Amino acid sequence: MAWAASIGACSPSAPVDQELQKEEAERQALIEAMEHHPALQNGTGDEATGKAINVPTTIRPKPKGNDGHQGHAPDPHSNHM
Amino acid sequence: MSGDFSAFKAMAAGISALVLVTALAPTVSGGSFDPMRALKTKGGKGPGSGSTTTDPTPTPTPTPTPTPTPTPSTNLLYPEMDIIPSSFDINTELTTAPVPASALPDVVGAFRFICNPGHLAYDDPIVYPGQPGRSHLHQFYGNTGANADSTYESLRTTGQSTCMSPLNRSAYWMPAMLDGRGNVVRPDYIAIYYKRRPQSDPKCSLTSGDPKAEGNCIPLPNGLRFVFGHNMLNPTAPPTGSLYFDCQGSGAVPGHYADIVAAAKNCPVGAKLGAIIKAPACWDGKNLDSADHRSHVSYAGYGTWGYLKCPSTHPYVIPGFTLQAWYTVDESLDRSGIWEAGKTKTWTLSSDVMEGMAPKRPGTTFHADWFGAWDNNVMSMWTDNCINKLLNCSAGVLGNGKMLKQFSGFSWTANPRLVPVPSAS
């Protein structure tokens, strides 16, 4: 049975599973680090808290006739910095 | 006369030595000196004269409010926009933090943070500059003022940021997620990781003698912008960015799914659907933009040579970032694993379904855009410490005993989560 287990460990899905686990572990570590950011600690994070921001959630209607079709190549000379 | 000439020769030798030392000196930690930016042409713009790629052309920017005088700098190695200091004391946006642990056994240093979703707009300052309303609907992150008229100068001097602090006024955006019922689904949060080998790594220099060098490592050049992922201008081209969809949470089956339909089959209500994409990390060293907004950047690959290397056409290695957008799944996401164009009502990206075009399988037009606008001092902090000292930095920790403040009002869940999509006026 040991040989069956080692074949399973070498299956094509094993490296993908390991990669998935590593990615998820990295994401969870970031979440945990953010949760421990001083600004997110109740009652103690004022010095680490920045200003409040204003994020508009209403969307300006799309002008009629503009279908947002990006099939056309943009004018390369219209780019500006 | 001979005395004058001897003095001239001495001066010339001194200047030459200064240039040589400046070019070869290692980066000083703490962000106070960067030999790569030690000499830079004032008023520099994206070059490329004589090339077939687009040179970003400066246009007058109406600025009713006074803007700070750009700090002149010169860069002999590669062109970039002038440094524009933040219009506020950066120390007001920094707080103390412990120096993080090493990133070993990883070979890359990492700098990570989380953003909340920002505004939605039919704008794209890279593909449709100066043309508001021209684009499909975009979900923006980072600079809250990013719009069709945004330039490097405007991003550097205006706007708040949903990415922790206005020290990062970069703009990140991607197609909005639509639920098929007339709403935009806003992501709960976006995780961003910048990574690159330390500059001291032999693989970070094509002249180090390491036969398997990746390229010449540099910081992010000022003014760089690009598009990556599915190519809306060339839809048959393979997408870049190693993009995929994932599902995490209770009852989820995690995976690298090619599209929303496949991911949804494994993503129950209440779990989180993730859209993940990697930005290019190789730069041509000449252009801050290009006609297709992609050609000036590229991805490292293993090719036929067997080790990770940037193409010879793009020899500069910049900190590349991975962007992950996470959405809470509700019952509007069809989880059958079956999709029929025009029939299945489910989540799609705004770029999957566009007027005049056949509907694309949900998620298959996934792409993202980035317009860099970091405060240079702060960018140097995380580059010089998190990246170049091979540290494992998260939550805005800069690796030098400081970290980004978090804006007041950060939330782990999108609020509002759904926003009606307005029809054409």
Side-chain angles (χ1 to χ4, degrees):
Chain A
M1 298 305 287
W3 64 264
S6 43
I7 289 176
C10 296
S11 69
S13 64
V16 173
D17 290 341
Q18 290 172 0
E19 187 179 346
L20 286 172
Q21 289 175 7
K22 184 181 174 187
E23 289 168 358
E24 180 56 13
E26 183 175 18
R27 186 177 74 94
Q28 288 299 332
L30 172 57
I31 290 172
E32 189 174 334
M34 280 295 295
E35 287 174 339
H36 285 92
H37 191 290
L40 302 183
Q41 305 303 302
N42 290 333
T44 60
D46 286 351
E47 289 186 0
T49 304
K51 295 178 182 176
I53 64 173
N54 178 30
V55 177
T57 52
T58 55
I59 309 165
R60 186 177 60 211
K62 174 184 274 297
K64 270 188 178 173
N66 253 347
D67 61 4
H69 180 31
Q70 289 192 336
H72 305 295
D75 176 3
H77 299 294
S78 69
N79 291 324
H80 62 280
M81 293 187 301
Chain B
M1 186 72 166
S2 59
D4 290 342
F5 188 63
S6 296
F8 173 78
K9 283 200 295 185
M11 185 174 69
I15 292 173
S16 299
L18 178 61
V19 170
L20 182 63
V21 168
T22 302
L24 297 179
T27 302
V28 174
S29 63
S32 58
F33 174 75
D34 182 346
M36 298 297 183
R37 289 201 168 91
L39 298 168
K40 182 175 188 290
T41 303
K42 180 177 180 182
K45 58 181 181 180
S49 57
S51 73
T52 57
T53 54
T54 301
D55 300 337
T57 304
T59 57
T61 303
T63 49
T65 54
T67 53
T69 303
T71 302
S73 57
T74 55
N75 187 336
L76 288 182
L77 297 178
Y78 55 84
E80 58 180 336
M81 296 291 286
D82 283 342
I83 293 171
I84 299 177
S86 291
S87 49
F88 52 87
D89 180 0
I90 66 171
N91 292 301
T92 62
E93 285 290 332
L94 297 173
T95 189
T96 57
V99 175
S102 168
L104 288 171
D106 278 347
V107 297
V108 294
F111 172 65
R112 309 180 188 88
F113 51 91
I114 285 183
C115 310
N116 269 163
H119 58 290
L120 292 149
Y122 292 102
D123 288 357
D124 191 324
I126 293 178
V127 180
Y128 293 107
Q131 302 172 69
R134 182 75 191 275
S135 168
H136 50 251
L137 189 62
H138 279 127
Q139 173 68 68
F140 283 82
Y141 318 112
N143 198 309
T144 57
N147 60 32
D149 296 316
S150 289
T151 63
Y152 177 68
E153 290 87 351
S154 72
L155 291 175
R156 277 300 306 128
T157 54
T158 60
Q160 298 166 312
S161 177
T162 70
C163 293
M164 299 191 73
S165 163
L167 292 172
N168 180 9
R169 275 173 160 157
S170 303
Y172 311 74
W173 63 98
M174 58 180 273
M177 185 72 78
L178 309 179
D179 70 359
R181 300 181 181 185
N183 301 304
V184 174
V185 184
R186 297 174 77 235
D188 293 320
Y189 64 86
I190 303 86
I192 296 181
Y193 315 158
Y194 283 89
K195 295 183 179 180
R196 199 205 66 198
R197 286 179 180 268
Q199 196 137 15
S200 58
D201 188 327
K203 288 182 172 40
C204 249
S205 168
L206 294 172
T207 56
S208 67
D210 188 322
K212 296 184 178 180
E214 186 174 346
N216 292 324
C217 293
I218 60 170
L220 290 166
N222 300 330
L224 184 66
R225 80 294 304 262
F226 49 72
V227 183
F228 53 109
H230 175 76
N231 192 336
M232 299 295 290
L233 302 178
N234 184 8
T236 59
T240 61
S242 304
L243 58 91
Y244 64 92
F245 295 86
D246 189 9
C247 187
Q248 296 287 345
S250 178
V253 179
H256 284 195
Y257 300 106
D259 54 53
I260 293 173
V261 178
K265 193 177 180 183
N266 300 278
C267 216
V269 172
K272 283 199 183 351
L273 177 76
I276 297 96
I277 190 168
K278 285 179 89 168
C282 305
W283 179 48
D284 68 5
K286 299 172 186 174
N287 301 289
L288 299 176
D289 197 0
S290 50
D292 64 358
H293 316 293
R294 295 165 175 263
S295 297
H296 58 302
V297 288
S298 187
Y299 290 82
Y302 289 90
T304 56
W305 47 89
Y307 60 93
L308 197 63
K309 181 170 74 77
C310 283
S312 59
T313 49
H314 298 72
Y316 290 96
V317 187
I318 57 176
F321 66 88
T322 300
L323 183 151
Q324 304 181 358
W326 292 93
Y327 308 79
T328 293
V329 173
D330 62 29
E331 60 284 342
S332 64
L333 178 65
D334 185 291
R335 297 169 48 237
S336 66
I338 299 168
W339 178 76
E340 291 183 70
K343 292 183 180 179
T344 307
K345 187 182 286 189
T346 187
W347 291 14
T348 64
L349 296 173
S350 59
S351 48
D352 294 331
V353 184
M354 297 204 301
E355 197 174 322
M357 295 174 67
K360 300 286 173 54
R361 190 172 172 86
T364 53
T365 64
F366 181 24
H367 61 280
D369 305 59
W370 175 80
F371 203 144
W374 277 94
D375 175 276
N376 275 86
N377 282 318
V378 173
M379 186 168 71
S380 292
M381 289 179 190
W382 61 258
T383 304
D384 292 343
N385 294 283
C386 302
I387 302 296
N388 286 341
K389 291 182 179 178
L390 197 60
L391 299 179
N392 185 9
C393 298
S394 283
V397 167
L398 297 165
N400 63 346
K402 300 178 182 179
M403 72 189 302
L404 303 176
K405 284 189 179 179
Q406 171 61 60
F407 67 82
S408 175
F410 173 84
S411 173
W412 283 107
T413 54
N415 184 22
R417 194 177 68 83
L418 300 179
V419 177
V421 180
S423 54
S425 58

PDB file of all heavy atoms in Angstrom, chain B residues 270-284:
ATOM      1  N   GLY B 270     -22.568  32.573  -0.325  1.00  0.00           N
ATOM      2  CA  GLY B 270     -21.863  32.918   0.906  1.00  0.00           C
ATOM      3  C   GLY B 270     -20.363  32.755   0.811  1.00  0.00           C
ATOM      4  O   GLY B 270     -19.617  33.370   1.591  1.00  0.00           O
ATOM      5  N   ALA B 271     -19.892  31.943  -0.137  1.00  0.00           N
ATOM      6  CA  ALA B 271     -18.443  31.827  -0.364  1.00  0.00           C
ATOM      7  C   ALA B 271     -17.993  33.041  -1.160  1.00  0.00           C
ATOM      8  O   ALA B 271     -18.780  33.907  -1.534  1.00  0.00           O
ATOM      9  CB  ALA B 271     -18.136  30.539  -1.117  1.00  0.00           C
ATOM     10  N   LYS B 272     -16.703  33.102  -1.431  1.00  0.00           N
ATOM     11  CA  LYS B 272     -16.163  34.227  -2.176  1.00  0.00           C
ATOM     12  C   LYS B 272     -15.587  33.762  -3.509  1.00  0.00           C
ATOM     13  O   LYS B 272     -14.772  32.835  -3.557  1.00  0.00           O
ATOM     14  CB  LYS B 272     -15.082  34.937  -1.362  1.00  0.00           C
ATOM     15  CG  LYS B 272     -15.647  35.829  -0.255  1.00  0.00           C
ATOM     16  CD  LYS B 272     -14.634  36.844   0.197  1.00  0.00           C
ATOM     17  CE  LYS B 272     -15.048  37.733   1.332  1.00  0.00           C
ATOM     18  NZ  LYS B 272     -16.365  37.769   1.833  1.00  0.00           N
ATOM     19  N   LEU B 273     -16.022  34.418  -4.567  1.00  0.00           N
ATOM     20  CA  LEU B 273     -15.479  34.182  -5.902  1.00  0.00           C
ATOM     21  C   LEU B 273     -14.313  35.130  -6.116  1.00  0.00           C
ATOM     22  O   LEU B 273     -14.435  36.327  -5.878  1.00  0.00           O
ATOM     23  CB  LEU B 273     -16.551  34.446  -6.958  1.00  0.00           C
ATOM     24  CG  LEU B 273     -16.117  34.300  -8.416  1.00  0.00           C
ATOM     25  CD1 LEU B 273     -15.994  32.832  -8.792  1.00  0.00           C
ATOM     26  CD2 LEU B 273     -17.099  34.991  -9.350  1.00  0.00           C
ATOM     27  N   GLY B 274     -13.174  34.581  -6.527  1.00  0.00           N
ATOM     28  CA  GLY B 274     -11.984  35.401  -6.732  1.00  0.00           C
ATOM     29  C   GLY B 274     -11.621  35.516  -8.198  1.00  0.00           C
ATOM     30  O   GLY B 274     -11.732  34.548  -8.945  1.00  0.00           O
ATOM     31  N   ALA B 275     -11.199  36.705  -8.599  1.00  0.00           N
ATOM     32  CA  ALA B 275     -10.651  36.947  -9.937  1.00  0.00           C
ATOM     33  C   ALA B 275      -9.201  37.366  -9.742  1.00  0.00           C
ATOM     34  O   ALA B 275      -8.933  38.376  -9.082  1.00  0.00           O
ATOM     35  CB  ALA B 275     -11.432  38.040 -10.654  1.00  0.00           C
ATOM     36  N   ILE B 276      -8.271  36.549 -10.269  1.00  0.00           N
ATOM     37  CA  ILE B 276      -6.850  36.747  -9.985  1.00  0.00           C
ATOM     38  C   ILE B 276      -6.093  36.943 -11.289  1.00  0.00           C
ATOM     39  O   ILE B 276      -6.304  36.224 -12.263  1.00  0.00           O
ATOM     40  CB  ILE B 276      -6.276  35.537  -9.222  1.00  0.00           C
ATOM     41  CG1 ILE B 276      -6.986  35.408  -7.862  1.00  0.00           C
ATOM     42  CG2 ILE B 276      -4.784  35.664  -9.014  1.00  0.00           C
ATOM     43  CD1 ILE B 276      -8.132  34.435  -7.825  1.00  0.00           C
ATOM     44  N   ILE B 277      -5.179  37.912 -11.302  1.00  0.00           N
ATOM     45  CA  ILE B 277      -4.404  38.214 -12.501  1.00  0.00           C
ATOM     46  C   ILE B 277      -3.049  38.794 -12.116  1.00  0.00           C
ATOM     47  O   ILE B 277      -2.940  39.491 -11.101  1.00  0.00           O
ATOM     48  CB  ILE B 277      -5.191  39.191 -13.413  1.00  0.00           C
ATOM     49  CG1 ILE B 277      -4.528  39.339 -14.772  1.00  0.00           C
ATOM     50  CG2 ILE B 277      -5.399  40.535 -12.733  1.00  0.00           C
ATOM     51  CD1 ILE B 277      -5.402  40.050 -15.799  1.00  0.00           C
ATOM     52  N   LYS B 278      -2.022  38.506 -12.927  1.00  0.00           N
ATOM     53  CA  LYS B 278      -0.668  38.987 -12.646  1.00  0.00           C
ATOM     54  C   LYS B 278      -0.259  40.053 -13.648  1.00  0.00           C
ATOM     55  O   LYS B 278      -0.446  39.882 -14.863  1.00  0.00           O
ATOM     56  CB  LYS B 278       0.346  37.836 -12.746  1.00  0.00           C
ATOM     57  CG  LYS B 278       0.331  36.873 -11.590  1.00  0.00           C
ATOM     58  CD  LYS B 278       1.346  35.756 -11.796  1.00  0.00           C
ATOM     59  CE  LYS B 278       2.691  36.112 -11.246  1.00  0.00           C
ATOM     60  NZ  LYS B 278       3.601  34.946 -11.194  1.00  0.00           N
ATOM     61  N   ALA B 279       0.307  41.107 -13.137  1.00  0.00           N
ATOM     62  CA  ALA B 279       0.786  42.190 -13.997  1.00  0.00           C
ATOM     63  C   ALA B 279       2.150  41.833 -14.585  1.00  0.00           C
ATOM     64  O   ALA B 279       2.895  41.036 -13.996  1.00  0.00           O
ATOM     65  CB  ALA B 279       0.908  43.478 -13.182  1.00  0.00           C
ATOM     66  N   PRO B 280       2.490  42.413 -15.725  1.00  0.00           N
ATOM     67  CA  PRO B 280       3.812  42.152 -16.314  1.00  0.00           C
ATOM     68  C   PRO B 280       4.925  42.734 -15.452  1.00  0.00           C
ATOM     69  O   PRO B 280       4.741  43.753 -14.791  1.00  0.00           O
ATOM     70  CB  PRO B 280       3.742  42.878 -17.671  1.00  0.00           C
ATOM     71  CG  PRO B 280       2.648  43.875 -17.521  1.00  0.00           C
ATOM     72  CD  PRO B 280       1.678  43.309 -16.551  1.00  0.00           C
ATOM     73  N   ALA B 281       6.092  42.064 -15.460  1.00  0.00           N
ATOM     74  CA  ALA B 281       7.212  42.504 -14.627  1.00  0.00           C
ATOM     75  C   ALA B 281       8.472  42.752 -15.437  1.00  0.00           C
ATOM     76  O   ALA B 281       9.535  42.955 -14.849  1.00  0.00           O
ATOM     77  CB  ALA B 281       7.485  41.474 -13.532  1.00  0.00           C
ATOM     78  N   CYS B 282       8.371  42.738 -16.750  1.00  0.00           N
ATOM     79  CA  CYS B 282       9.513  43.035 -17.608  1.00  0.00           C
ATOM     80  C   CYS B 282       9.170  44.289 -18.418  1.00  0.00           C
ATOM     81  O   CYS B 282       8.062  44.413 -18.942  1.00  0.00           O
ATOM     82  CB  CYS B 282       9.807  41.879 -18.575  1.00  0.00           C
ATOM     83  SG  CYS B 282      10.053  40.288 -17.777  1.00  0.00           S
ATOM     84  N   TRP B 283      10.137  45.208 -18.507  1.00  0.00           N
ATOM     85  CA  TRP B 283       9.897  46.497 -19.167  1.00  0.00           C
ATOM     86  C   TRP B 283      10.981  46.743 -20.204  1.00  0.00           C
ATOM     87  O   TRP B 283      12.128  46.358 -20.031  1.00  0.00           O
ATOM     88  CB  TRP B 283       9.906  47.611 -18.116  1.00  0.00           C
ATOM     89  CG  TRP B 283       9.698  48.998 -18.643  1.00  0.00           C
ATOM     90  CD1 TRP B 283       8.724  49.410 -19.511  1.00  0.00           C
ATOM     91  CD2 TRP B 283      10.479  50.154 -18.332  1.00  0.00           C
ATOM     92  NE1 TRP B 283       8.859  50.756 -19.762  1.00  0.00           N
ATOM     93  CE2 TRP B 283       9.924  51.245 -19.048  1.00  0.00           C
ATOM     94  CE3 TRP B 283      11.578  50.383 -17.521  1.00  0.00           C
ATOM     95  CZ2 TRP B 283      10.447  52.528 -18.974  1.00  0.00           C
ATOM     96  CZ3 TRP B 283      12.096  51.666 -17.443  1.00  0.00           C
ATOM     97  CH2 TRP B 283      11.535  52.722 -18.175  1.00  0.00           C
ATOM     98  N   ASP B 284      10.581  47.414 -21.311  1.00  0.00           N
ATOM     99  CA  ASP B 284      11.560  47.638 -22.378  1.00  0.00           C
ATOM    100  C   ASP B 284      12.563  48.744 -22.061  1.00  0.00           C
ATOM    101  O   ASP B 284      13.528  48.933 -22.800  1.00  0.00           O
ATOM    102  CB  ASP B 284      10.862  47.904 -23.715  1.00  0.00           C
ATOM    103  CG  ASP B 284      10.114  49.227 -23.774  1.00  0.00           C
ATOM    104  OD1 ASP B 284      10.190  50.022 -22.810  1.00  0.00           O
ATOM    105  OD2 ASP B 284       9.438  49.479 -24.777  1.00  0.00           O
TER     106      ASP B 284
END
